Amino acid sequence: MSLAEQLVEMGFEKPQIDSAINKGKAETLEQAIDWITAHESEIASGSAASSEPTLNLSSSAASAATTTAESHGDVNSLKCDECGKLLKDADMATAHALRTNHSSFSECTEAVKPLTAEEKEEMKKKLQERIVARRQEQKLADEQKALEMEKKRITDGKALLELKQKRDEDEMKKIAEANRREKLETQLAKQRAIEQIEADKRARKERAAAEKNGGIIGDVPAPKPQHVVAPQPTRQYDECNLQVRLPDGSMVRHTFKTNDRFEKVTEWIRETQQSRPFILAQNYPKKDFNENDNHKTLNELGLVPSGSLMVKALAHFQT
């Protein structure tokens, strides 16, 4: 809504609005009201000096108005036929029509009385009250907007945190699954090697028994060849990459030696994060580490080459 529309809505006449905007160079509602109240007499004299009204009367209305003016004297004002309000000139009648949607006006010989000092003071008081009320409305609107923006910021922050936690959990699951597959492949390779060794032992015993009994060695059936995949050499790791999720959802990472004891991990978290009493746990596979694990190496605990842990804060503890 423009400044002129705001002034019309508040009840100001068109000459007052034009004077505040064009002469007073008002840019805000408060500046416009201050100009109008300070130059009331100047605006009134300027309106009286206006030459031609902006309202266009029909031919019949114009002839009737001319006849009325000739018979009753000079026309000193315009009167709203719908509410009876006297208006100084056509400009004020136009502003009144815009504000009230009244459309019927007639010429009147009665002059509009200028405002007295008391009336001016009362008008100024009402204007100040309107300014205060409008400022209060704007303040409430700004507070509501700020509240909505804060709610949106909190909602967006929660969504971002949940997305980050889900991504970290997915990463932890991938690392745990990779460790599980590597351990399973190592176990299967060892099992195949043991089965092949047992099969070779049985074949040697059968051949030795056949030779001892004077049998023909060639009659002893040779063990069926087994398609055994040669076990891949187990890779030796020197370092262990651990990522730890803290109670606030943030992630920290650190690299340890594979032969470091688990107590070194707990000491690092306690020193660097200055945490309250806590325990460390593994989400997948599910495991809560205790004091018995402090003297075990990271390799013995299956955290090599990488592992994911989370910090569980202890709400109740004894000192």
Side-chain angles (χ1 to χ4, degrees), residues 11-12 20 23 26 63 88 93 127-128 147 216 227 231 276 285 316:
F12 291 103
K23 293 183 179 180
S63 60
K88 291 182 180 180
L127 292 177
Q128 293 297 334
L147 181 61
I216 301 174
H227 298 282
R276 295 174 62 86
H316 303 284

Side-chain angles (χ1 to χ4, degrees), residues 9-123:
E9 182 182 355
M10 294 180 66
F12 291 103
E13 306 294 350
K14 188 174 185 300
Q16 296 172 318
I17 298 173
D18 292 341
S19 176
I21 295 177
N22 298 328
K23 293 183 179 180
K25 306 298 181 182
E27 297 181 353
T28 65
L29 186 62
E30 184 176 1
Q31 292 175 355
I33 293 175
D34 290 341
W35 173 268
I36 292 171
T37 53
H39 300 80
E40 180 67 25
S41 59
E42 178 183 342
I43 296 172
S45 62
S47 299
S50 299
S51 58
E52 296 182 358
T54 57
L55 291 179
N56 295 322
L57 300 177
S58 62
S59 58
S60 59
S63 60
T66 303
T67 303
T68 303
E70 291 175 352
S71 60
H72 294 85
D74 294 336
V75 175
N76 294 319
S77 64
L78 293 176
K79 183 178 181 179
C80 178
D81 296 334
E82 299 182 33
C83 67
K85 183 176 183 179
L86 291 179
L87 305 164
K88 291 182 180 180
D89 53 23
D91 289 340
M92 289 191 175
T94 302
H96 180 76
L98 291 174
R99 185 174 70 255
T100 62
N101 290 328
H102 295 171
S103 58
S104 178
F105 298 89
S106 60
E107 295 178 336
C108 183
T109 58
E110 183 180 354
V112 178
K113 297 180 180 179
L115 296 176
T116 63
E118 292 78 8
E119 290 174 339
K120 290 181 180 180
E121 188 65 26
E122 181 67 19
M123 182 179 180

Side-chain angles (χ1 to χ4, degrees), residues 119-170:
E119 290 174 339
K120 290 181 180 180
E121 188 65 26
E122 181 67 19
M123 182 179 180
K124 185 175 181 181
K125 181 180 178 181
K126 290 181 179 180
L127 292 177
Q128 293 297 334
E129 292 175 353
R130 290 180 183 177
I131 292 174
V132 172
R134 194 168 189 87
R135 285 176 177 173
Q136 184 64 21
E137 292 176 359
Q138 186 64 38
K139 180 181 178 181
L140 293 176
D142 293 342
E143 290 177 353
Q144 182 64 25
K145 183 177 179 181
L147 181 61
E148 292 176 356
M149 291 180 64
E150 180 65 15
K151 289 181 179 179
K152 184 176 183 302
R153 185 191 67 80
I154 294 175
T155 302
D156 293 344
K158 288 182 178 179
L160 183 62
L161 180 60
E162 291 175 357
L163 181 62
K164 185 176 182 298
Q165 289 178 347
K166 186 177 183 303
R167 185 171 62 248
D168 292 339
E169 289 176 359
D170 292 341

Side-chain angles (χ1 to χ4, degrees), residues 167-181:
R167 185 171 62 248
D168 292 339
E169 289 176 359
D170 292 341
E171 184 178 355
M172 292 171 65
K173 288 180 180 179
K174 288 181 181 179
I175 294 174
E177 181 63 21
N179 292 339
R180 189 189 67 81
R181 286 198 303 268

